Amino acid sequence: MFDDSQDPSDECLRRAATRRAVLKTALGLGLSLPFLEVVVAATDDSRDAPPKVGDRFVFVLGDRKGEVIKAEDLALGGPQQLAYPMDPTSKIVRDGSRLNEVVLIRLDPEQLTRETRANAAEGVVAYSAICTHQGCDVSQWKSEQRTLLCVCHGAEYDPRDRAKVVAGPAPRRLAMLPIKIEEGVLVVAGAFTGRPGFREM
C-alpha cells in the first residue's frame, strides 16, 4: 500500500536498485547479451535511450525549445527543423546522446522515392542529424538543390531519396527514422533504418 508520507525520491531509488539487482542476477547466471539488451530496453527511461516507438519530437532551439512539433510547424519545401524525441508519458527528452538528434523536413510526397515514402508521414521525413563523414551536425538546407548540407566538409544528402549522398566526402547516407502522424503530432514509428553517426563498426 502506498504511504502518502513517503518521499517520491525514495521510490525512484528503490526502482533503480531493483533494476541493478535484475542485471546483477542476470550476469551472475551467465545469461546471454541479447537477454541483457531486452532487460535494459525494458527498464531504460534515461535521456540516453534511443528513440522509441510512440516518442514525440520536440524543438531543440529557439523560443519553442522543448515544445512538441506538429506537421504544420514545418514549412513545405524546407528548411529542416532540428529535433529530439521525447517520451510522451515521462516527458523525458532523449537529448543525452547526440545520436538521438534528428532533422525533420516536410516535402511534397510525390517527390519522394517509394522507399522514402514508406517511412515518411504526409511528406515529412526524419533523418539522423549526424553527418556520416566526421560527425558534424547536418544543419543547413540548400533550397535550390533541395539538399541537406553539413558545412564542416560539404557533404550533401538528398532527403527525397533516403538521404542519399549527392556531394562531398560522406561514405554513406543518413540513417532514416520512420515516423507517423497522430492528431497532427509527429511520432516515432520505428527504429532507425541504419546506424546513426559516423564511426564504422
Side-chain angles (χ1 to χ4, degrees):
M1 188 168 188
F2 181 75
D3 179 5
D4 287 333
S5 65
Q6 199 172 23
D7 186 343
S9 63
D10 291 342
E11 178 65 14
C12 291
L13 290 172
R14 187 188 64 75
R15 288 182 182 173
T18 301
R19 286 195 293 266
R20 282 194 299 273
V22 169
L23 290 173
K24 284 180 182 178
T25 301
L27 285 171
L29 294 173
L31 296 175
S32 67
L33 185 58
F35 173 79
L36 290 177
E37 288 174 351
V38 170
V39 171
V40 171
T43 60
D44 190 359
D45 58 358
S46 74
R47 294 172 49 234
D48 298 321
K52 292 182 171 45
V53 173
D55 281 357
R56 277 44 177 161
F57 293 98
V58 296
F59 289 98
V60 170
L61 304 168
D63 295 340
R64 300 186 65 187
K65 180 178 179 179
E67 286 185 30
V68 172
I69 300 173
K70 298 182 177 181
E72 66 191 33
D73 292 325
L74 304 174
L76 181 62
Q80 79 271 33
Q81 178 66 57
L82 288 175
Y84 274 116
M86 179 190 74
D87 183 287
T89 304
S90 68
K91 305 302 183 194
I92 291 174
V93 177
R94 303 190 196 282
D95 60 359
S97 170
R98 284 188 67 231
L99 297 180
N100 290 342
E101 188 176 38
V102 298
V103 292
L104 299 168
I105 189 164
R106 185 175 166 213
L107 303 165
D108 181 348
E110 296 300 315
Q111 295 179 351
L112 305 180
T113 64
R114 182 172 48 84
E115 295 85 359
T116 305
R117 203 176 307 124
N119 290 312
E122 298 177 17
V124 179
V125 292
Y127 295 105
S128 167
I130 308 304
C131 182
T132 61
H133 177 228
Q134 290 190 354
C136 295
D137 286 347
V138 179
S139 59
Q140 299 293 319
W141 172 244
K142 294 182 76 172
S143 56
E144 287 187 18
Q145 293 83 356
R146 291 182 291 176
T147 55
L148 297 165
L149 171 68
C150 174
V151 297
C152 287
H153 302 99
E156 292 183 42
Y157 304 89
D158 184 353
R160 296 161 297 171
D161 187 8
R162 294 182 300 128
K164 176 177 73 176
V165 180
V166 294
R172 58 185 169 84
R173 62 181 79 227
L174 298 173
M176 189 173 192
L177 188 61
I179 60 172
K180 59 186 175 180
I181 295 176
E182 292 181 352
E183 298 179 359
V185 174
L186 297 168
V187 178
V188 176
F192 278 111
T193 60
R195 187 179 70 256
F198 71 102
R199 288 186 178 89
E200 296 299 330
M201 301 295 279

